[in-house]
Structures are given as structure tokens and as C-alpha cells.
Amino acid sequence: MAKRVYLFSSSFTEGKADMKNLLGGKGANLAEMASLGIPVPPGFTVTTEACTEYYDCGAKLSDELRAECLAALKKVEEYTKMGYGDPEKPLLVSVRSGARQSMPGMMDTVLNVGLSSKTVPGLIKKTGNDRFVWDSYRRLIMMYADVVMEKAEGIEPVDGKGIRKQLDEMLDEYKHKKGCKSDTDLTTEDLKFLAEEFKKRVKASLGKEFPDDPIEQLFGGIGAVFKSWNGKKAISYRRIENIPDDWGTAVNVQTMVFGNMGDTSATGVAFTRNPATGENKFYGEWLVNAQGEDVVAGIRTPNPLNDATKNEQNKHLHSLQEVMPETYKQLDDIRLKLESHFKDMQDIEFTIQEGILYMLQCRTGKRTGTAALVMAMDMLDEKLIDEKTAVLRVKPAQLDEVLHPIINPESEKKASVIAKGLPAGPGAACGQVVFTSEDAVKWVKDGKKVILLREETNPEDVEGMRAAIGILTARGGMTSHAALVARGWGKCCIVGAGALHVDVAGKKAKIAGSDIVIKEGDVITLNGSKGHVYQASLEMMDATENPRFKHFMTIVEKYMKMGKMGVRTNADTPADAKVARAFGAEGIGLFRTEHMFYGVGADQPLFLLRKMILSNTVEERKAALNELSPFFKKDIKATMEAMDGMPVTVRLLDPPLHEFVPQSADKQAELAKALGIKAEDIKKRGEALHESNPMMGHRGVRLGITYPEVTEMQIRAVLESAVELTKEGKHVHPEIMVPVTCDVRELDVTKKVFDKVYEEVKKAKGVDAIECKYGTMIEIPRAALLADRMAKTAEFFSFGTNDLTQMTFGFSRDDIGVFLGDYLEGKILDADPFQTVDQDGVGQLIEIAAERGRKTRPELKLGICGEQGGDPASVEFCYKLGFTYVSCSPFRVPIARLAIAHSVIKDKK
Ligand code: ADP
Ligand code: MG
Ligand code: MG
């Protein structure tokens, strides 16, 4: 067994920042700070390997480990000129956990270890501060009983009330009896009395005496920290964060310094820059005469560190800058030193003992998306980091936040969540609740901001969704209609908030398990990035018009372009196409022709489509199609024009026809009147078209096989647009994409239609050739497996990963919301496969299809147009397979571009 213990101190340090695997994050950085000459109380780190050894030995500390610890302790005694357990000049230590990756609050720490009946009087004599000593002692008893004697022993507290809670209650009762408001009001006598009472309670409750031997305390503490690696909290945190169980935790044994020695002592936590906004200002909180967790535990409202940290709640409290200007200055210098050393924002913990500053921890600080961007750009300007590092500093998913208004994190902290759902559309929205799409439109016309609350949404809600600034539904998954649409528009949306019981008629929604009722007109705020709903108007921060973002994206572009993969967008209108183009889209990967039958301006084309569907003969159908054709062409042409110079992939009509036949009797009657036929016939036709599983029914290419004239009309619209736009001097690159195919013969039959129309258009327009590619979606597993054949006719593949996932798993994406939670919680699935490509299963099909397709046609273009096209992990996957492009909704274009830039930079490393 290698060395188990590493020392750190101002004069001799064995560890370094890059030894996190061995020393844990905390230990490695304590060592690094010590080597930088930053004041760190001396101590030693027991390695993560020793933790593994501990478990291998049946949860026992080996003799070798004990010996190494005692030897290291001896050194610490020499540095500090104190003695552990020495009654004259007692050394006290903290025993702190610290894994490779920070697991905040998940494992345990014990402070003031080494206080005993012998050392208490010695410390009182030495410090002359008996109140402080008794305060430290009662804290030790609380922490030790909790961490070492109860949790580590696996004792399940009777009726859920653990020893810490019991002791806390004793403390509260006592304070109440004495009329003390705060812990600091307790006198020495009070604390002394409490310590004795605590010990009695520990014995009564846990059946063992609180150990009075400092050595027993030390090893008890080390063993308990090792055990806390397998505590309930820590295990569930590891599940969520995908941290391996076998990493183990390190233990740091460190000389205690005391923030609770009086008015010149204090403790605090800080960030070297503002973690919410990214502003280059020192940001933190502190408490005078306090120890350890007091700041974060929320027992006392902490004071602001400096002016930059003052807000409404704490502005009346004194800042460290005001109270101890010199120490503040020293801390500020350390802040600068740490930043220039680590070249990133640090999250730090410090303690001031009688005016002397000590650093107790530093680690890379967590931050919001906006802060990540701002810091990356600032640090680039400050020449602290280079461009590549700046690009890598912003996680693709964090860009989501940057592109949408968000709730001011300060005001969100104070609000309480009334319901939770799936975070379907990022950002935040605050508005008045309405329960129908019509109301949404009406209220917005009246100048109100609304949030559309629905049981679930269907295509008919589309206008209300467009009008609303936020969408909230009780049912549906991340890829439900509402979610897809909302993301496409960059709209804040929460779906599947199961606790909502929506009463549309009564225009109200109840929240299960509470007596909260949301009524029409009530103001609510949604956090679409988290899926949280608040019944209040929370303050917003607008993040969209950020010049830093634009500059950042130009750097991203530079690196992205060093790779070969592009980003296209899924867009159905010229307007969306323009938005996406502005975000850097290099073409359209999916234009859905059916779009023109939904939403604003759809009345006439929808009417004509219905007329076509209700036709009895081919002639009638053709006539209806002729009337419909100009509408088709108008949108397609305008979109192609908006994408001048770039490819546009037009997908042939995909949904089953019954979706377009009106369902209600009055709507049927209305249509019958307009068409001059019997309502009865419409009903019959609707019934005839009814399918028990429309998702696998008469749709996609199958429609065109039965009704080639439908395909013909669409292809004609594309080819005519192409010729006309070319004549106007535009550069268009249309691509016809056939959906829902499973066999090359479907492609061949459809190709015949294409060839026929091609010749006709050529002749009619008097041109020699028209540029237009012909390809297919790969969204049925059979098509993926037979890709070598598909590629004989298809010039490109676009993976429709929504349906491909649906058919590979046998999960309906509209219904997955009901059980997805169970699957994710139970670790049956690692992630929602509709959000991130399931690389194990669906990924294999994609790989097979890519490989077999290219064998037939080496220049085959490959793309992805499912929702996953904007998911960073899926983008990376496509990059590795050498895709031509990924296509995603307009607002995800920058995210995909950043993901590619990350792949390129990592690739070149
Ligand atoms: P966590 O990982 O949960 O933050 P820590 O090991 O950092 O746990 O300990 C929590 C707090 O205890 C620290 O923020 C610090 O205030 C206090 N603490 C730990 N070690 C010492 C020490 N040697 N002297 C003074 N305070 C300490
Ligand atoms: Mg800490
Ligand atoms: Mg599909």
C-alpha cells in the first residue's frame, strides 16, 4: 500500500492541485493554497485509497493507517507548537470529508475534535476565553454524536428524530427559557450547563458515553467520514451525478482555527466573482463570532461581505469591508492570487481568528449560464485564459439560459414552489393564467401577459401558445407537442406538472396535496429551466440582448468551422428560418409541409386539404390539389428564398389524414355546408380514416403510395420554386425528403413520381436541369438495417430520431411522461431517450445505417433532425460519426454550434 497520508502546511506540503483523485478536491486544493503561501491552518490528508482500503478491511482503520496518521499529527504539533490532547496547550483539529468531485453537504465534517475533560481547562487557561471554549465543546458534542456515534454506526433514530435534532431542540428550549434570541446571547454558564446536559442525552439516546479520549475522537472521526461516503444522502447524490461508488472519499485532518472567539473573530464564504451574474466583483457573506456551517445553515442572517454584496435583505448589516477593512483587504488580495493561479472563479471558505485570516477551502465555483458566459469573456479580455478555454468554459446547455429571460435568482430563492413539472422550455415567464387558447389570444390583444395553463395541449392550441409568454401543462413529456413547439419558439414551458388538477370549465386548477387553487387571472411565474411553478410575480432578468453573447459566438464559430459538421435548423416558416439564420444556421434540415395547416392563416389551405381528403375520385382529388398547390408553393418558396444560398430539406406530408378531419359535429356541419356535401359523409369519412394506432398507420410515404398525386403536387411546388428563384438570381438547394420509409422500393416508387414531375417542370420552364436532391428519413429500425439498399436511391439520410427512438424502444413519446420518472429514478434509464440519443441502442442503429449507407454511396450526406439534434451529447455523437449536419429548432442552433466547437477543441487536444 502506497503512502496513505499527505501533509500540508506553510513550510512543508506534499500534495498538489492535480492530485484530486488521491487527495480529494478539498485536500488537493488545501495543499495547493499552502504551497502558494496562502495562510492555511496546517494538517494532513488521508487518501481516497486509504478509504478503499478501509472498506476492504471490513470497515476498520488498519494499524498502518493509524501509525501514519499519528506520525503526521506529530509534525502538525511541531508546526503549531501545540500538543494533541495536551492539557497545557491543546491542539484541536477538524476532521473533514472531501471527495474527488465536490459533493456539497453530502458527507460529514466534525469540528473541535480533541476537546476533553483534560483539554477544556487548558484551553480556557490559554485563551482566557471560557465562553468560547464551552461553545466549542458543545458544538463538538453535537457534531460528534450525530456524525460518529449515530450516522456512522447506522443507528436509525427513534421516530425519525436523530440526536442532532434532539440536541438542537434542547438548545432552543433553553434559549427560550432564558429569553435569548441568538446563540451569541448564551453565557458561559449556560453553555457549560448545556454541554453536560448534551452528554447525558447522548448517553441516554445512543447508549454510549461521548468519548473523552482525544485519540479515540480522532480515529472515530476519520472512520465516520469514511463511512459517510456510504451514507444515504451521499449515495443518492452519486446516483444523480453519476459518480462511481468506488472512488471513496479522502479525509482532511486540520488544525482548528476559531471564528467564535469574540468580536474580532468571524467566518465566511465567498465567490471570487458573482456566481449569478458573472460580474467581476467579490461576492460573499460572513458572520462575526461564529463557526463552521453557521453561515450556510441559515441560523443567523449572514452579513454582506462588501458593498457589492449588499441587497434589500442585508443592506442594514455591516460588511466585512466596513468592520475589518484590513482583513478584508488581505482577503481581497488572496482572491486575486487564487484567480490568477487557478484561472477560474473560486468558491472559498475563510475564518478569522482574533483578527488573523485563514483560508479553509477553495474550489471552482458553480455558476449560472449567464455568469459562465460573462466570466469566460471577461477572463479572455483580462488575458487570464485563451480562446479555447473561454469556449470550453460555457457548457452548451448553459447557453439555453443565456438566450432567455430568467428569474432573478435572489427573488427566486425567497419564493416557494407550488408545483413541479418537466423543464420543457427554458427561461422564465411571469404572467396571468388563462385556461383556453382563445382566452390567451384575447387577453394578449388587450395588452396582457398570459400563461396558458392546460391539461395538455393539442395542435389547435397553437395560437394560444404563440400568444402566451409561458405554457404550463398537467400532462405530457419533454417531447410532447407543447414542449416541442415551445422550445422551437424559445418559449418558457413546463409540462407534466402532475399535481395540477385542471378544471377548464371552472377556469381554475387545484394543486393536489395542498389547498392552493390557481384561478383565471392569477399571476404565476414559471422557471422553465427547472420546471418550478411559483404563485407570485417574481423579478425577471433579461439575458437576450447580450453583446457578450454575440462576441462569444463569433469565437465559437471560428472553432466550429475547423470541423466538418454544420448546424441546420428545423423551420417551417420564413420567419423561423430568418431567426435561425441569425443564430448561425447553415440551412434547413427539416421543413414540414403540414405546418401550413396549423395556426394563423391556415383556414384556407386546411379547407382545401379537407376537400382533398373528402374527395371520392382521383379527378376530384386532383382538382382539390390544384387549388391547394399555390398555398404549398407560397410557404416553400418564401422559406427557400429566406435561406438563399443554403440547402432546404422539404419533407413530404407526414401525418395521417384523419388528423385533419374535424371531429366535432358542428365543425363537421360547417365543413359540409362549405363543401356542399352531407355532414353524414364527413362523419363517415372520418370514421373510415380512423386508425387504432395512427402513429404506425397510413402516413408518410404510405400516403404517397396510395395517392401519388399528393406527392406530385408537393414535389412540383418545390421544383417550380427552385426554377423561379434561380431565375431571380437566388441560389437555392432544395432537398426532397421522404418520411417513414422502411424499404427502398417505397423510395423507388416515389422517385418515379419525382422523375416525372422533374421532366415536366423542366420542359414547362424551359430549363436544362434543376438542382434538387432526393433522400429519406431514417426513422424505422428496418430502414436503418437495410441502409445499404436505401442508399441506392437516397442521396442523403436524415435520422428522424424522435420516431426512431419511439420505434426502437416501443415507447410512445406522447405517453412516456407517465412512467419516465419511475424509469429515471429507478435507474432503468439514464436519461430521457427523446432528449438525448440513446447511444447504446438507437445509436447502434444510427451507426449501422451510416456505415451501410456509405458503403453503397460514399458521398452520402448524413444528418439528424429529431429533437435530439440540439442536445449537446447527441451532437457530439453525430460529430464522431462524421455527420454532415445536425438540425434543431432555431433557439437551439447556438447550443449545437457550441457543442461542435467543444468537440473540435477536444478532438484537437
Ligand atoms: P463541507 O464540505 O460540507 O463544506 P467542510 O469540511 O468544508 O465541509 O467543513 C464545513 C465548515 O467547517 C467549513 O466551511 C469551515 O467553516 C469549518 N471548518 C472546517 N475545518 C475547519 C478548521 N480547521 N478550522 C475552522 N473551521 C473549520
Ligand atoms: Mg466546505
Ligand atoms: Mg417522423
Side-chain angles (χ1 to χ4, degrees):
M1 175 84 194
K3 190 173 161 60
R4 296 174 179 82
V5 172
Y6 286 70
L7 277 162
F8 55 87
S9 76
S10 52
S11 53
F12 181 67
T13 294
E14 297 175 302
K16 279 207 313 236
D18 61 10
M19 291 166 70
K20 293 201 170 64
N21 290 355
L22 189 62
L23 304 181
K26 199 179 285 166
N29 278 357
L30 282 170
E32 189 81 5
M33 283 199 288
S35 331
L36 289 173
I38 289 170
V40 171
F44 58 88
T45 304
V46 184
T47 64
T48 52
E49 285 174 4
C51 178
T52 315
E53 184 192 43
Y54 169 85
Y55 279 110
D56 290 346
C57 299
K60 291 235 158 52
L61 301 172
S62 67
D63 291 342
E64 293 87 343
L65 176 61
R66 283 172 190 264
E68 281 188 52
C69 287
L70 292 176
L73 189 62
K74 189 127 220 96
K75 292 263 190 208
V76 177
E77 290 176 332
E78 285 165 20
Y79 296 135
T80 55
K81 304 201 172 54
M82 291 193 281
Y84 188 70
D86 183 329
E88 298 298 316
K89 36 184 184 15
L91 169 72
L92 303 189
V93 296
S94 62
V95 179
R96 318 172 63 186
S97 57
R100 284 190 202 186
Q101 197 175 311
S102 108
M103 296 169 57
M106 295 302 138
M107 286 181 299
D108 297 309
T109 285
V110 188
L111 305 182
N112 310 331
V113 176
L115 272 179
S116 65
S117 54
K118 287 212 189 75
T119 53
V120 164
L123 194 63
I124 293 177
K125 209 163 117 207
K126 185 167 166 260
T127 59
N129 186 341
D130 46 1
R131 185 189 181 282
F132 143 71
V133 177
W134 287 110
D135 183 46
S136 305
Y137 191 46
R138 65 97 193 163
R139 286 174 192 259
L140 169 66
I141 300 166
M142 281 177 109
M143 277 185 266
Y144 195 92
D146 172 42
V147 174
V148 186
M149 300 177 70
E150 187 176 81
K151 282 205 206 107
E153 290 301 319
I155 297 177
E156 283 295 332
V158 197
D159 45 310
K161 206 187 267 179
I163 187 71
R164 185 155 202 152
K165 186 110 210 273
Q166 296 177 38
L167 300 183
D168 265 332
E169 282 180 6
M170 282 172 71
L171 180 67
D172 282 343
E173 275 163 29
Y174 190 82
K175 279 198 297 200
H176 189 74
K177 210 170 78 195
K178 288 263 162 170
C180 305
K181 275 205 204 87
S182 154
D183 289 4
T184 42
D185 297 335
L186 292 168
T187 65
T188 309
E189 285 312 310
D190 292 334
L191 291 164
K192 192 172 167 180
F193 174 78
L194 273 170
E196 292 310 319
E197 292 298 303
F198 277 9
K199 283 200 277 190
K200 283 186 213 151
R201 173 63 69 92
V202 170
K203 172 84 209 277
S205 180
L206 299 173
K208 266 198 225 155
E209 295 280 355
F210 169 74
D212 197 41
D213 172 15
I215 293 291
E216 187 186 340
Q217 287 177 8
L218 175 68
F219 289 120
I222 294 176
V225 169
F226 280 158
K227 279 203 181 130
S228 71
W229 175 255
N230 280 329
K232 264 191 226 141
K233 275 190 295 183
I235 291 178
S236 35
Y237 185 82
R238 287 205 293 275
R239 293 282 172 281
I240 299 166
E241 296 285 316
N242 280 319
I243 298 175
D245 287 336
D246 58 10
W247 276 5
T249 179
V251 183
N252 301 288
V253 175
Q254 187 175 27
T255 306
M256 277 305 299
V257 288
F258 301 100
N260 55 340
M261 281 186 79
D263 288 347
T264 55
S265 299
T267 183
V269 292
F271 296 88
T272 55
R273 299 183 189 215
N274 187 317
T277 63
E279 217 185 349
N280 187 4
K281 287 201 175 135
F282 204 11
Y283 184 93
E285 295 175 329
W286 72 294
L287 278 175
V288 73
N289 199 8
Q291 189 176 35
E293 310 280 61
D294 294 0
V295 174
V296 276
I299 341 179
R300 288 157 61 185
T301 309
N303 298 36
L305 187 71
N306 50 16
D307 290 342
T309 314
K310 288 197 176 172
N311 60 32
E312 283 308 306
Q313 275 64 48
N314 65 16
K315 64 182 180 200
H316 60 287
L317 300 169
H318 293 301
S319 71
L320 187 71
Q321 198 174 14
E322 289 154 5
V323 181
M324 304 182 194
E326 267 166 51
T327 315
Y328 176 77
K329 171 79 180 51
Q330 216 186 330
L331 186 64
D332 196 39
D333 288 344
I334 290 175
R335 162 203 177 214
L336 297 176
K337 194 167 187 171
L338 287 174
E339 275 214 344
S340 72
H341 182 73
F342 287 104
K343 308 199 183 307
D344 201 354
M345 186 267 274
Q346 300 293 303
D347 165 351
I348 61 180
E349 294 175 1
F350 63 90
T351 284
I352 299 164
Q353 176 177 334
E354 300 189 302
I356 301 174
L357 174 67
Y358 296 94
M359 300 303 294
L360 291 174
Q361 192 172 331
C362 80
R363 64 181 167 212
T364 303
K366 295 209 188 324
R367 60 204 73 182
T368 64
T370 311
L373 177 87
V374 170
M375 285 179 201
M377 295 310 286
D378 280 351
M379 290 185 186
L380 181 64
D381 290 346
E382 295 159 26
K383 300 206 164 47
L384 205 56
I385 56 175
D386 61 10
E387 276 186 354
K388 281 186 195 165
T389 312
V391 171
L392 293 176
R393 277 289 161 81
V394 183
K395 295 195 199 92
Q398 286 180 315
L399 271 192
D400 239 10
E401 268 177 66
V402 178
L403 295 166
H404 301 91
I406 56 167
I407 304 177
N408 185 328
E410 292 298 322
S411 63
E412 183 161 12
K413 250 194 253 161
K414 280 172 252 143
S416 52
V417 178
I418 56 163
K420 285 185 189 172
L422 301 169
C430 174
Q432 290 178 279
V433 174
V434 291
F435 289 87
T436 67
S437 181
E438 293 85 67
D439 285 339
V441 174
K442 208 160 70 213
W443 287 45
V444 169
K445 272 206 188 113
D446 295 342
K448 291 182 182 137
K449 280 188 180 168
V450 303
I451 288 176
L452 179 62
L453 198 170
R454 301 282 294 153
E455 178 71 32
E456 59 194 340
T457 63
N458 59 45
E460 283 162 30
D461 285 334
V462 87
E463 278 178 64
M465 293 172 66
R466 189 93 187 180
I469 59 161
I471 300 151
L472 173 61
T473 75
R475 297 219 310 227
M478 291 292 283
T479 49
S480 67
H481 178 70
L484 284 181
V485 173
R487 266 201 296 281
W489 291 337
K491 197 158 282 204
C492 173
C493 174
I494 298 175
V495 298
L500 288 173
H501 291 285
V502 185
D503 168 9
V504 179
K507 300 204 169 177
K508 60 179 192 237
K510 274 202 200 113
I511 308 239
S514 78
D515 41 34
I516 301 175
V517 179
I518 303 174
K519 292 185 294 297
E520 185 180 58
D522 284 359
V523 175
I524 63 170
T525 303
L526 309 181
N527 180 337
S529 310
K530 283 197 195 145
H532 291 179
V533 183
Y534 303 92
Q535 196 174 28
S537 161
L538 301 185
E539 194 191 323
M540 296 288 164
M541 282 175 29
D542 187 13
T544 36
E545 261 316 301
N546 186 345
R548 309 306 295 275
F549 166 71
K550 292 193 177 132
H551 185 191
F552 178 73
M553 288 311 294
T554 59
I555 303 173
V556 167
E557 173 155 50
K558 182 168 130 191
Y559 288 93
M560 177 205 159
K561 288 276 161 75
M562 291 177 189
K564 290 204 186 83
M565 190 166 82
V567 178
R568 295 195 194 176
T569 190
N570 300 348
D572 310 318
T573 63
D576 283 351
K578 278 181 198 141
V579 171
R581 222 185 147 134
F583 278 140
E586 298 159 71
I588 288 182
L590 178 63
F591 173 97
R592 309 171 185 87
T593 53
E594 61 271 19
H595 174 83
M596 65 192 68
F597 304 118
Y598 304 117
V600 188
D603 293 355
Q604 190 58 14
L606 186 56
F607 171 75
L608 293 168
L609 179 75
R610 286 169 169 169
K611 194 166 159 186
M612 188 275 284
I613 294 170
L614 294 163
S615 306
N616 291 314
T617 64
V618 181
E619 284 65 39
E620 271 181 47
R621 194 156 41 241
K622 281 195 170 155
L625 283 166
N626 271 339
E627 279 185 86
L628 185 53
S629 165
F631 290 95
F632 250 95
K633 199 169 146 188
K634 185 169 143 271
D635 264 22
I636 289 172
K637 191 172 167 185
T639 305
M640 278 163 64
E641 189 173 5
M643 296 309 273
D644 185 13
M646 297 179 175
V648 174
T649 310
V650 178
R651 180 177 70 181
L652 300 178
L653 196 65
D654 185 58
L657 295 182
H658 77 93
E659 271 193 20
F660 301 103
V661 179
Q663 300 299 320
S664 64
D666 47 337
K667 286 261 164 65
Q668 285 176 352
E670 202 179 301
L671 182 64
K673 205 167 146 214
L675 287 174
I677 57 174
K678 282 188 279 182
E680 186 59 16
D681 290 340
I682 297 184
K683 196 166 159 234
K684 275 201 196 124
R685 184 77 181 124
E687 280 163 7
L689 286 171
H690 173 81
E691 292 174 323
S692 33
N693 191 349
M695 200 238 114
M696 297 188 180
H698 195 191
R699 52 175 292 208
V701 69
R702 299 159 205 168
L703 282 176
I705 302 283
T706 316
Y707 310 116
E709 53 282 2
V710 177
T711 306
E712 204 179 306
M713 183 273 286
Q714 298 175 75
I715 293 175
R716 191 181 304 279
V718 173
L719 294 178
E720 285 182 359
S721 303
V723 176
E724 289 162 17
L725 287 166
T726 308
K727 282 189 178 158
E728 290 167 27
K730 302 278 190 289
H731 298 88
V732 293
H733 310 283
E735 302 176 342
I736 299 275
M737 179 159 79
V738 187
V740 208
T741 52
C742 62
D743 195 288
V744 70
R745 281 167 289 193
E746 292 170 320
L747 281 178
D748 291 337
V749 170
T750 311
K751 183 71 179 4
K752 284 216 182 80
V753 179
F754 178 91
D755 290 341
K756 177 182 144 251
V757 179
Y758 185 88
E759 288 307 322
E760 285 170 7
V761 175
K762 235 171 60 176
K763 213 155 119 210
K765 299 270 178 187
V767 292
D768 297 335
I770 309 166
E771 190 198 303
C772 185
K773 287 204 162 52
Y774 180 80
T776 186
M777 280 182 88
I778 301 286
E779 52 188 334
I780 293 179
R782 189 174 193 273
L785 296 171
L786 299 179
D788 50 342
R789 296 188 205 164
M790 303 297 279
K792 285 197 179 120
T793 307
E795 294 172 274
F796 65 87
F797 288 170
S798 176
F799 290 91
T801 42
N802 292 340
D803 277 342
L804 188 59
T805 300
Q806 185 157 246
M807 299 206 222
T808 304
F809 276 88
F811 292 162
S812 153
R813 67 167 144 138
D814 297 315
D815 304 311
I816 192 176
V818 179
F819 58 87
L820 181 64
D822 299 336
Y823 269 63
L824 293 177
E825 241 157 64
K827 279 276 151 188
I828 299 168
L829 283 180
D830 292 329
D832 178 351
F834 291 102
Q835 279 193 70
T836 186
V837 169
D838 153 53
Q839 295 185 17
D840 295 346
V842 176
Q844 265 193 60
L845 285 170
I846 297 176
E847 248 181 286
I848 289 172
E851 191 195 303
R852 295 185 185 168
R854 279 179 183 149
K855 207 167 261 168
T856 304
R857 190 189 287 268
E859 74 286 3
L860 184 75
K861 282 192 171 185
L862 298 175
I864 175 176
C865 64
E867 264 298 292
Q868 298 94 332
D871 162 67
S874 309
V875 172
E876 197 178 331
F877 177 71
C878 295
Y879 178 86
K880 285 196 185 126
L881 289 182
F883 270 41
T884 322
Y885 67 86
V886 294
S887 188
C888 54
S889 50
F891 279 90
R892 297 196 75 85
V893 169
I895 298 167
R897 286 164 71 84
L898 178 56
I900 296 176
H902 277 209
S903 298
V904 172
I905 293 172
K906 285 184 206 149
D907 216 21
K908 297 222 187 313
K909 262 190 183 159

